């Protein structure tokens, strides 16, 4: 819809406003659609737009060529063609290349589109072109030539055509001039038009069957074409400026206006009538004859409606009390009018009223004639049988009664009360009619020609009764729009039914319902009474009176085409597609759908289902247009939706969206496979690590065994070094010398010391570690023997720090003595006098390392090497190499290593050597 505020789209539920950021001015015009379903429009500023589903796109700006002129245009398959008055402007839809066609001064008239071609005037010619604007035919028209120069001729010649007639018209001297034309026969003829249309501003023409509807500045003129003449048939919406009329796919008529919005006529065969002074709230309606209907209102007004002249006439407004019932008596040619304060009898010929002052019949809810001498009255208090003078004859039911009906065929009075439905026969015997042993609460009772009693109820639906038995029940499950009924009226053997959701016609023979709703043009469902006059059915409502043409009132509505318009996954709106692949946690989804049509949100109901979860169609009873699914399991689904009137087997009327929700990765086959493979790999890795560890442990064990063996060998080597032949030979020589010199005590003492030392060495050789005290004891014995060999020219000291608990600390066995032996053998041996040796044991600050210092004042390392080199060129100290090897073996299993440092003690007066041994004491982190 093009409006002064912009372009709008209506989908039956809501309006969408389209606007472009570069749009100059709000008003747009010339709405048309191309073959790609894009909606085009333009504005006075010379901009041309087209609307997609969601936005307004600026196609081109021709303001530099149009100079503020609002131009007509058409959109072909290839071009946008603009008609600025003279000539045309053509714009290629793909390249936007502009081609001007100002070949002459001819004016181009309005362009009329047909299914296969266009008609328009160019200069003095009527043109016919194909959809690509290639010329097909033309007709020269002299009347254009006669008036072409005159400013009194409209530059725009309007053309409108149908299958039966082609017409063009223009304005001359302020009046509309009409001609018919035929391109094939090369003829044109002037036609006469109604006087009332002669000077009207015609905006649009619309063909409806054999009628031509003209949208003008003074409403709509409906004409027929007969013998070169337009004959006025109807004129409605007077004093409204109607700009255009279209008919949609559901046969709704849309009329746009200038300044009065949009008028929608859902059904041109439903006519609404209202009093010109005020709205009539009609409470009761009664047919007098085919020309007059009597009515009474809730405000107490009494009047009649002329069905021929379609006019209301008020008779009495003296009372403000509600008219509760009208009952026509043809035999007496009068009608009884019941008010809550008075009752009148009206002469049907003169419409004169006379008051009937009979006690008890005021405020009647229902009044029926039983025979020539009796009447039945339903009132707020009870149901009564009255005689011909309206006097009480008998109280039939002492219950509040809503309605009654006398059946001549059955000779039975039917009374509807607050407690149920009762049948009273000719002998006044009462029978309650129930359904499934439950009371029926009637609102209206009627009888068809076949003698069937039909009862409408407040909320139980519709009941059919024969011989005091219910034989048919209708509710919303088998045809009724609602179980709440307002009124029913018999039409021969058929029924007119009013529910709170629409009007229905029921064909009793075929048991078929036809429906009329507000979407079809019904103005109100608050219907108080129904009367039938020939082919028209009149409905009395709270807003007046309307009628339905029995033959044309029901439109052959097309099944609404439902479309899914939005998909929400979680809280996010996603682009609309026909298929989705979702993650396992994208399992909450919302579908929004709609069926286009006038007021579709009020009248359309939908059915939907989710294949993959449930195959059963679910009905949307609340008239919503969305459905939500939460926490769906993994799998494949198809959401389907259709209009409730669509046949289940008609898949063309079903829209569907497919989607798949992936399984959580921990439930997929590849996850299980990966777990198995991973477990197998883990087992393999663990097994390999275990094997590797076992091999490593085995290797370490073998290495330890090897080291232990090597340590044993090293100990043996140390033992060998300590028990070397020189030492033993010297010791034995000393003993021999003591014996020769007959120094028995010295020999014995020396021998005891020697034997004790040998015993200690042998004991220590069996252990990896010995107490420090044992090592010091062995050193003392060894040094005493060596001192004796040096004839006391050897001074030694063994110092032990007070912090050291020699009886608790352990050191490697046979470890210190070789360094002491080296000091004597290589340092002190070559010195003739003042041989000094110092052995000192201390602890570091943390008391986790034992320091052993062996210092001598011998000739020094370098001098000793020179002596050994000259005496023994190939000499390699056995003790030294054994010590180095043993240190390496001991450190193999230690994280904290034993270190041995050799340092020369050279001064100005003498030389010397210092061996510094650092032994980490044994704890958890010492070994690995």
């Amino acid at each position: 819809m093009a409006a002064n505020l912009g372009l709008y789209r209506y989908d039956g539920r809501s309006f969408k406003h389209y606007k472009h950021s570069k749009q100059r001015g709000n008003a747009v015009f010339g709405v048309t659609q191309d073959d790609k379903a894009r909606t085009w429009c333009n504005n006075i500023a010379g901009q041309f737009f087209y609307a997609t589903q969601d936005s307004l796109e600026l196609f081109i700006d021709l303001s530099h060529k149009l100079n503020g002129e609002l131009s007509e245009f058409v959109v072909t398959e290839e071009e946008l063609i603009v008609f600025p008055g003279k000539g045309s402007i053509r714009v290629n839809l793909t390249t936007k290349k502009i081609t001007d066609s100002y070949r002459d001064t001819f004016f181009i008239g309005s362009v009329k589109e047909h299914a296969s071609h266009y008609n328009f005037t160019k200069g003095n010619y009527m043109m016919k072109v194909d959809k690509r604007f290639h010329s097909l035919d033309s007709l020269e028209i002299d009347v254009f030539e006669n008036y072409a120069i005159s400013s009194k001729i409209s530059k725009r010649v309007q053309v409108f055509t149908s299958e039966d007639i082609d017409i063009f018209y223009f304005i001359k001297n302020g009046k509309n001039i009409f001609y018919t034309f035929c391109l094939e026969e090369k003829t044109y003829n002037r036609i006469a038009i109604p006087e009332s249309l002669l000077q009207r501003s015609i905006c649009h023409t619309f063909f409806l069957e054999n009628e031509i509807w003209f949208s003008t500045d003074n409403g709509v003129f409906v004409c027929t074409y007969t013998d070169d003449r337009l004959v006025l048939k109807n004129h409605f919406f007077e004093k409204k400026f109607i700009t255009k009329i279209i008919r949609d796919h559901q046969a709704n008529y849309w009329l746009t206006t200038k300044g009065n919005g949009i008028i929608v006529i859902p059904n041109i065969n439903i006519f609404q009538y209202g009093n010109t002074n005020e709205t009539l709230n009609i409470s009761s309606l009664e047919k007098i004859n085919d020309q007059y209907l009597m009515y009474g209102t809730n405000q107490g007004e009494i009047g009649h409606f002329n069905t021929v002249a379609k006019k209301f006439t008020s008779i009495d407004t003296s009372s403000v009390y509600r008219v509760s019932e009208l009952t026509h008596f043809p035999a007496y040619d009068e009608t009884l009018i019941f008010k809550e304060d008075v009752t009148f009898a009206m002469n049907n010929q003169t419409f004169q009223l006379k008051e009937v002052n009979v006690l008890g019949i005021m405020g009647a809810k229902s009044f029926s004639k039983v025979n020539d001498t009796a009447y039945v009255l339903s009132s707020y208090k009870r149901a009564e049988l009255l005689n011909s003078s309206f006097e009480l004859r008998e109280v039939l039911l002492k219950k509040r009664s809503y309605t009654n009906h006398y059946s001549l065929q059955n000779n039975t009075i039917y009374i509807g009360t607050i407690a149920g439905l009762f049948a009273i026969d000719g002998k006044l015997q009462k029978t309650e009619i129930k359904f499934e042993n439950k009371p029926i609460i009637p609102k209206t009772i009627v009888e068809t020609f076949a003698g069937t009693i039909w009862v409408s109820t407040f909320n139980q639906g519709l009941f059919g009764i024969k011989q005091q038995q219910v034989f048919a029940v209708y509710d919303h499950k088998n045809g009724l729009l609602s179980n709440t009924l307002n009124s029913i009226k018999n039409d021969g053997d058929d029924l007119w039914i009013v529910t709170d959701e629409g009007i229905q016609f029921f064909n009793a023979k075929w048991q078929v319902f036809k429906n009329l709703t507000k979407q079809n043009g019904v103005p109100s469902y608050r219907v108080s009474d129904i009367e039938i006059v020939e082919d028209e059915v009149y409905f009395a409502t709270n807003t007046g009176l309307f009628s339905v043409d029995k033959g044309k009132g029901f439109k052959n509505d097309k099944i609404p085409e439902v479309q899914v318009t939005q998909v929400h996954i979680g809280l996010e709106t996603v682009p609309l597609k026909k298929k989705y692949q979702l993650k396992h946690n994208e399992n909450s989804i919302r579908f929004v759908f709609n069926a286009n049509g006038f007021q579709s949100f009020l009248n359309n109901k939908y059915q939907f289902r989710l294949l993959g979860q449930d195959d059963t169609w679910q009905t949307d009873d609340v008239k919503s247009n969305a459905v939500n699914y939460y926490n769906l399991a993994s799998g494949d689904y198809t959401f389907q939706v259709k209009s409730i009137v669509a046949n289940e087997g008609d898949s063309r009327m079903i829209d569907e969206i497919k989607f798949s929700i992936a399984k959580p990765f921990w439930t997929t086959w590849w996850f299980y496979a990966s777990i198995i493979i991973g477990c197998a790999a883990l087992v393999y890795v663990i097994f390999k690590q275990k094997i590797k560890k076992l091999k490593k442990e085995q290797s370490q064990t073998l290495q330890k065994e090897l080291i232990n063996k090597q340590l044993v060998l090293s100990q043996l080597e140390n033992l060998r070094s300590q028990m070397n032949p020189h030492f033993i030979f010297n010791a034995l020589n000393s003993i021999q010398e003591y014996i020769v010199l007959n120094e028995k005590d010295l020999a014995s003492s020396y021998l005891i010391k020697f034997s004790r030392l040998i015993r200690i060495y042998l004991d220590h050789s069996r252990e990896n570690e010995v107490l420090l005290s044992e090592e010091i004891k062995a050193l003392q014995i060894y040094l005493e023997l060596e001192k004796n060999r040096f004839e006391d020219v050897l001074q030694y000291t063994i110092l032990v720090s007070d912090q050291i608990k020699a009886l608790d600390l352990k050191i490697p066995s046979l470890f210190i003595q070789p360094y002491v032996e080296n000091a004597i053998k290589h340092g002190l041996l070559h010195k003739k006098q003042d041989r000094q040796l110092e052995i000192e044991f201390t602890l570091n600050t943390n008391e986790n390392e034992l320091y052993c210092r062996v210092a001598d004042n011998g000739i020094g390392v370098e001098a000793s090497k020179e002596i050994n080199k000259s005496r023994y060129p190939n000499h390699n100290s056995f003790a030294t190499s054994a010590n180095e090897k043993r240190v390496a073996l001991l450190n193999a299993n230690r994280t904290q290593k034993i270190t041995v440092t050799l340092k020369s003690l050279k001064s100005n007066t003498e030389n010397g050597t210092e061996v510094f041994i650092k032994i980490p004491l044994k704890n958890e982190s010492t070994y690995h």
Side-chain angles (χ1 to χ4, degrees):
M1 290 166 280
N4 61 341
L5 292 179
L7 183 69
Y8 289 84
R9 184 194 72 193
Y10 176 67
D11 63 1
R13 179 174 291 270
S14 62
F15 287 89
K16 177 178 176 61
H17 183 207
Y18 290 86
K19 193 169 180 64
H20 194 276
S21 59
K22 296 183 179 180
Q23 184 176 343
R24 296 193 297 273
N26 292 325
V28 295
F29 305 87
V31 174
T32 187
Q33 195 174 54
D34 65 13
D35 59 345
K36 295 180 181 178
R38 297 179 299 185
T39 301
W40 291 73
C41 62
N42 67 334
N43 61 15
I44 297 175
Q47 295 174 305
F48 291 81
F49 305 90
Y50 64 84
T52 61
Q53 182 73 12
D54 299 312
S55 62
L56 187 66
E57 303 294 334
L58 175 60
F59 175 71
I60 197 168
D61 189 334
L62 297 177
S63 57
H64 61 290
K65 290 185 174 292
L66 299 179
N67 298 318
E69 180 181 355
L70 181 64
S71 302
E72 290 193 21
F73 68 93
V74 296
V75 183
T76 69
E77 294 178 2
E78 300 174 349
E79 293 179 313
L80 165 68
I81 305 177
V82 183
F83 304 98
K86 296 179 181 179
S88 62
I89 302 173
R90 307 166 79 102
V91 184
N92 186 282
L93 294 181
T94 304
T95 65
K96 296 188 180 181
K97 180 181 179 182
I98 301 174
T99 303
D100 294 334
S101 300
Y102 289 97
R103 292 188 298 271
D104 48 45
T105 59
F106 292 148
F107 286 107
I108 301 295
S110 64
V111 180
K112 177 66 177 179
E113 183 178 7
H114 296 264
S116 60
H117 67 276
Y118 294 98
N119 279 120
F120 62 94
T121 60
K122 185 179 76 170
N124 296 333
Y125 288 87
M126 177 66 66
M127 305 297 298
K128 179 180 180 182
V129 296
D130 64 15
K131 287 295 184 175
R132 296 189 176 183
F133 260 70
H134 298 151
S135 180
L136 298 176
D137 202 353
S138 65
L139 170 63
E140 185 176 9
I141 302 177
D142 294 336
V143 67
F144 293 165
E145 183 176 3
N146 294 336
Y147 298 106
I149 308 300
S150 173
S151 61
K152 297 180 180 179
I153 296 286
S154 172
K155 296 179 181 179
R156 292 288 188 186
V157 178
Q158 305 293 325
V159 181
F160 58 95
T161 64
S162 70
E163 294 181 359
D164 302 321
I165 187 172
D166 297 319
I167 295 177
F168 68 84
Y169 69 93
F170 54 88
I171 301 173
K172 174 189 173 184
N173 297 325
K175 296 182 179 180
N176 294 314
I177 308 298
F178 279 75
Y179 284 83
T180 62
F181 68 93
C182 179
L183 282 165
E184 290 76 13
E185 298 179 4
K186 306 299 181 184
T187 60
Y188 58 93
N189 297 300
R190 184 168 178 173
I191 58 177
I193 64 173
E195 183 70 23
S196 57
L197 190 60
L198 193 61
Q199 292 183 296
R200 297 267 63 93
S201 175
I202 300 174
C203 300
H204 182 254
T205 54
F206 172 75
F207 286 90
L208 178 63
E209 297 176 351
N210 62 338
E211 298 175 343
I212 306 173
W213 292 28
F214 294 94
S215 302
T216 76
D217 58 344
N218 188 35
V220 177
F221 290 82
V222 180
C223 299
T224 57
Y225 176 71
T226 305
D227 299 329
D228 290 334
R229 177 180 294 274
L230 288 178
V231 179
L232 183 63
K233 181 180 178 182
N234 203 348
H235 180 206
F236 53 91
F237 297 120
E238 293 184 42
K239 299 181 180 179
K240 283 186 170 59
F241 198 124
I242 308 298
T243 56
K244 191 173 183 179
I245 303 172
I246 62 170
R247 184 176 185 265
D248 69 18
H249 68 290
Q250 293 178 319
N252 299 308
Y253 295 83
W254 298 71
L255 288 73
T256 57
T257 72
K258 184 178 180 180
N260 294 104
I262 297 171
I263 300 170
V264 182
I265 307 174
N267 194 330
I268 61 172
N269 294 301
I270 295 179
F271 303 94
Q272 188 169 8
Y273 314 100
N275 195 338
T276 55
N277 297 323
E278 60 182 25
T279 300
L280 294 175
N281 189 346
I282 301 176
S283 57
S284 187
L285 191 68
E286 183 77 356
K287 177 183 175 181
I288 305 301
N289 50 47
D290 288 344
Q291 186 176 356
Y292 290 104
L293 296 174
M294 289 299 303
Y295 69 86
T297 72
N298 282 301
Q299 290 74 34
E301 181 180 344
I302 303 170
H304 62 76
F305 176 75
N306 189 314
T307 61
V308 178
K310 311 298 184 186
K311 291 181 63 176
F312 289 93
T313 301
S314 179
I315 299 173
D316 178 67
T317 58
S318 59
S319 172
V320 296
Y321 287 94
R322 176 178 179 269
V323 177
S324 59
E325 175 71 357
L326 299 173
T327 304
H328 171 51
F329 296 102
Y332 304 109
D333 201 19
E334 67 179 9
T335 301
L336 284 180
I337 301 170
F338 299 91
K339 288 190 175 185
E340 294 180 355
D341 63 335
V342 67
T343 301
F344 293 103
M346 184 193 74
N347 184 292
N348 293 338
Q349 298 297 323
T350 64
F351 301 113
Q352 296 296 314
L353 300 176
K354 65 177 180 179
E355 188 172 336
V356 180
N357 294 314
V358 180
L359 186 64
I361 65 172
M362 292 183 294
K365 299 285 288 181
S366 182
F367 192 82
S368 301
K369 183 179 180 180
V370 176
N371 49 46
D372 291 338
T373 60
Y375 303 91
V376 61
L377 169 70
S378 292
S379 68
Y380 292 103
K381 295 181 180 180
R382 59 192 180 185
E384 304 171 345
L385 185 66
L386 307 179
N387 59 24
S388 58
S389 301
F390 304 127
E391 296 171 341
L392 178 63
R393 178 174 162 183
E394 187 167 342
V395 176
L396 300 176
L397 292 168
K398 293 182 179 181
K399 302 176 187 295
R400 183 173 181 172
S401 178
Y402 295 114
T403 184
N404 63 64
H405 172 75
Y406 173 70
S407 172
L408 182 62
Q409 294 188 53
N410 302 323
N411 190 27
T412 302
I413 300 171
Y414 295 90
I415 301 175
T417 73
I418 194 171
L421 173 64
F422 295 88
I424 302 176
D425 62 17
K427 297 180 181 180
L428 301 183
Q429 298 296 314
K430 306 179 189 65
T431 302
E432 184 177 3
I433 302 173
K434 295 184 177 183
F435 176 67
E436 295 181 346
N437 206 31
K438 294 180 181 180
I440 299 171
I441 310 301
K443 194 168 187 180
T444 308
I445 304 172
V446 299
E447 183 177 4
T448 59
F449 288 174
T452 302
I453 302 298
W454 292 96
V455 178
S456 70
T457 65
F458 287 89
N459 55 23
Q460 296 170 287
L462 179 69
F463 292 89
I465 297 171
K466 288 182 179 179
Q467 298 178 353
Q468 299 8 303
Q469 298 293 322
V470 175
F471 76 94
V473 180
Y474 294 94
D475 57 22
H476 73 280
K477 295 179 181 179
N478 60 351
L480 285 182
L481 292 174
S482 170
N483 290 350
T484 301
L485 307 185
N486 292 330
S487 301
I488 59 173
K489 183 69 175 181
N490 57 301
D491 187 2
D493 283 329
D494 302 322
L495 293 176
W496 288 88
I497 306 166
V498 180
T499 76
D500 63 351
E501 292 195 11
I503 295 173
Q504 297 183 273
F505 175 75
F506 176 59
N507 186 308
K509 179 179 180 181
W510 302 106
Q511 300 182 26
V512 174
F513 289 89
K514 291 182 179 180
N515 304 329
L516 288 173
T517 65
K518 289 183 178 179
Q519 189 176 15
N520 306 125
V522 175
S524 175
Y525 300 152
R526 293 180 61 182
V527 175
S528 58
D529 217 340
I530 307 171
E531 287 295 341
I532 300 172
V533 179
E534 296 182 342
D535 290 332
E536 287 189 294
V537 183
Y538 288 86
F539 298 87
T541 75
N542 60 316
T543 59
L545 195 67
F546 72 89
S547 67
V548 176
D549 188 300
K550 292 169 62 174
K552 300 178 181 179
F554 293 95
K555 299 190 297 184
N556 294 321
D557 290 337
K558 294 182 179 179
I559 298 174
E561 183 177 352
V562 183
Q563 291 182 330
V564 177
T565 57
Q566 289 183 6
V567 176
H568 304 265
I569 297 174
L571 299 176
E572 182 182 357
T573 302
V574 298
L576 192 61
K577 298 189 297 185
K578 284 296 182 183
K579 191 169 185 179
Y580 296 88
Q581 296 289 338
L582 306 179
K583 299 177 183 177
H584 74 276
N585 57 347
E586 295 176 328
N587 59 353
S588 294
I589 188 166
R590 172 182 172 88
F591 296 98
V592 181
F593 39 84
N594 187 54
N596 285 345
F598 174 61
Q599 292 188 337
S600 62
F601 73 100
L602 290 176
N603 299 283
N604 279 346
K605 288 186 179 181
Y606 303 96
Q607 287 185 330
F608 51 83
R609 63 182 178 181
L610 186 62
L611 299 177
Q613 183 187 65
D614 189 359
D615 293 347
T616 306
W617 287 101
Q618 300 180 49
T619 301
D620 172 29
D621 290 324
V622 296
K623 296 181 181 178
S624 175
N625 70 321
V627 61
N628 296 284
Y629 296 97
Y630 300 103
N631 299 321
L632 293 172
S634 301
D636 297 326
Y637 297 91
T638 300
F639 173 75
Q640 294 183 330
V641 61
K642 66 179 181 179
S643 170
I644 199 171
V645 299
N647 296 322
E648 187 169 329
D650 191 355
S651 61
R652 294 171 301 171
M653 295 297 107
I654 296 175
D655 195 15
E656 65 180 26
I657 299 289
K658 296 183 178 181
F659 62 97
S660 298
I661 300 177
K663 293 181 179 180
F665 68 90
W666 57 85
T667 64
T668 57
W669 67 267
W670 57 264
F671 179 77
Y672 287 116
S674 63
I675 289 294
I676 294 171
I677 294 172
C679 290
L682 183 61
V683 170
Y684 176 75
V685 169
I686 293 174
F687 179 75
K688 288 288 287 183
Q689 291 293 330
K690 192 87 171 177
I691 296 297
K692 186 177 180 180
K693 184 179 179 182
L694 289 173
K695 286 183 178 181
K696 185 177 180 180
E697 289 176 352
Q698 186 179 22
S699 175
Q700 289 176 343
T701 302
L702 291 175
Q703 188 71 17
K704 285 181 181 180
E705 291 297 323
L706 179 61
I707 291 171
N708 289 335
K709 286 181 180 180
Q710 290 176 338
L711 282 172
V712 170
L713 292 175
S714 175
Q715 287 175 296
L716 291 176
E717 288 177 349
N718 276 7
L719 181 61
R720 283 172 57 199
S721 72
Q722 292 165 343
M723 298 178 66
N724 64 74
H726 293 288
F727 172 72
I728 295 173
F729 178 77
N730 290 334
L732 292 176
N733 276 342
S734 297
I735 293 170
Q736 183 181 12
E737 184 178 354
Y738 288 143
I739 294 172
V740 170
L741 296 176
N742 199 23
E743 294 182 8
K744 296 180 181 179
D745 292 335
L746 289 174
S748 175
S749 176
Y750 196 95
L751 182 59
I752 291 172
K753 289 179 180 179
F754 178 71
S755 63
R756 286 176 63 191
L757 182 61
I758 296 302
R759 183 181 181 90
I760 288 173
Y761 284 164
L762 291 175
D763 288 341
H764 286 186
S765 67
R766 290 194 293 268
E767 302 293 336
N768 290 327
E769 292 181 329
V770 296
L771 292 173
L772 178 60
S773 60
E774 293 292 327
E775 184 73 8
I776 294 172
K777 183 179 180 181
L779 286 174
Q780 288 176 334
I781 296 174
Y782 170 72
L783 289 172
E784 286 178 4
L785 291 176
E786 286 287 63
K787 182 178 181 181
N788 185 71
R789 184 166 71 91
F790 281 92
E791 297 179 351
D792 291 329
V793 188
L794 174 64
Q795 299 297 321
Y796 67 89
T797 57
I798 299 176
L799 302 175
V800 180
S801 172
D802 293 339
Q803 296 175 294
I804 296 175
K805 297 178 181 179
L807 295 176
D808 295 333
L809 296 181
K810 284 188 176 184
I811 63 172
S813 62
L814 304 175
F815 188 67
I816 305 297
Q817 190 272 342
Y819 296 102
V820 176
E821 180 187 355
N822 277 345
I824 295 172
K825 182 177 178 181
H826 297 290
L828 299 175
L829 180 63
H830 303 292
K831 192 174 182 179
K832 300 303 181 181
Q833 60 184 2
D834 190 26
R835 299 184 180 98
Q836 297 290 332
L837 179 65
E838 185 178 314
I839 303 170
E840 183 182 13
F841 292 95
T842 59
L843 289 174
N844 69 343
T845 306
N846 296 327
E847 299 185 357
N848 59 359
E849 288 183 336
L850 177 66
Y851 298 150
C852 178
R853 177 175 169 270
V854 180
D856 66 78
N857 63 346
I859 62 173
V861 176
E862 298 299 327
S864 177
K865 287 182 179 180
E866 291 298 326
I867 293 171
N868 288 330
K869 192 181 294 184
S870 60
R871 290 182 179 181
Y872 314 104
N874 298 323
H875 173 76
N876 185 17
S877 175
F878 177 79
T880 301
S881 63
N883 284 345
E884 291 175 352
K885 185 176 180 180
R886 189 161 184 225
V887 169
L889 290 172
L890 289 171
N891 284 336
N893 292 328
R894 285 174 173 263
T895 55
Q896 298 179 2
K897 309 298 183 180
I898 297 173
T899 60
V900 179
T901 306
L902 182 67
K903 184 172 71 172
S904 294
L905 299 174
K906 182 179 278 190
S907 66
N908 294 329
T909 57
E910 60 181 26
N911 295 322
T913 304
E914 179 186 87
V915 177
F916 189 81
I917 305 169
K918 184 171 67 174
I919 304 172
L921 297 178
K922 189 174 183 180
N923 55 43
E924 293 181 358
S925 61
T926 303
Y927 297 88
H928 53 73

